[in-house]
Amino acid sequence: MSAPPVDDIDYLLIGHFTADLTPRGRQLGGTVSYAAKTIQSFGLQVGIVSSMMADDPLFSAFSETIQIHRVPAEQTTTFENIYTDDGRKQYVRGRASDLIESQIPEQWRSASLVHFGPLVNEVDPALVRLFPGSITLLTLQGLLREWGNDGLVRFKRWFVPEVIAELDFIVFSEEDILADPQLEQDIASIAPCLIVTRAEKGGTIYRRGALPVNYASPHVEVVQPTGAGDVFAASLLAAYHQLDGNLPKAIDVAAELAAICVTRDGLLGVPTSAEVKSTIAQVLNKS
């Protein structure tokens, strides 16, 4: 395991980086990649607990500016998407190590904001108990996957009420639960706050004890959608923190920045510091 980080952080990310196999070669991906760069643009200090193959060249430039607590693994988590006439088929071609309680540095357990970003069931959301003083968020997609020897990803239902009730925010896309749409209402009935994103249609905010509220997303020309959900979730948590808990305005900021993300390719879609500042100013100036 790598030496423990020494600097204090504002925002802790827990999840795997990924190597994505594309026609243009092997590319860096994963929730933590998009979320970490987004949080940097908010001016917050970021720390990542992740696992990957030693000396994987994909991470050399990334780790120069962000603290990463690395858990050793024989492989980096690797995805391949194959597009057919019947739609996309996703394959897991490699998986790094699980991320467990003992691997979370003590000095990072007091981070103001904690984001669980599992992709291949590598993070136990029950780790939320380690962060009683933090605002916590789970992006659910990586707990809704299973695969066999062929690597083909299939839907797996995840529903753990005692964990759901402890998380401050849960975020997922309606596309993540196409095989089980009832899961939306099941989680909404327990979660303190659930946000279901619906791409260009906006999304729905469920707060425990209140009626659901729909929000809108800007209409933009989509170059590619990869990473937009991760940018949305990270922006939501950061903006909620910086706007003193004003959830409607935090949602507006997150939706605007996610829309920016889809207009550019890959990690180039992550919003810049200037875009974050202008978006927050624009949202605050709304009547």
Side-chain angles (χ1 to χ4, degrees), residues 91-110:
Y91 292 84
V92 175
R93 301 302 193 191
R95 186 184 186 278
S97 302
D98 285 338
L99 304 174
I100 59 176
E101 179 175 340
S102 62
Q103 296 156 352
I104 311 299
E106 288 287 344
Q107 62 269 42
W108 283 2
R109 298 186 185 191
S110 59

Side-chain angles (χ1 to χ4, degrees), residues 55-74:
D55 302 321
D56 192 318
L58 279 181
F59 308 105
S60 57
F62 195 96
S63 59
E64 290 176 359
T65 58
I66 293 177
Q67 292 189 86
I68 303 175
H69 186 63
R70 299 171 182 250
V71 177
E74 294 183 358

Side-chain angles (χ1 to χ4, degrees), residues 74-94:
E74 294 183 358
Q75 305 177 80
T76 294
T77 292
T78 303
F79 282 100
E80 182 178 15
N81 293 321
I82 297 176
Y83 295 89
T84 71
D85 292 340
D86 298 323
R88 185 187 77 164
K89 291 186 177 181
Q90 186 174 60
Y91 292 84
V92 175
R93 301 302 193 191

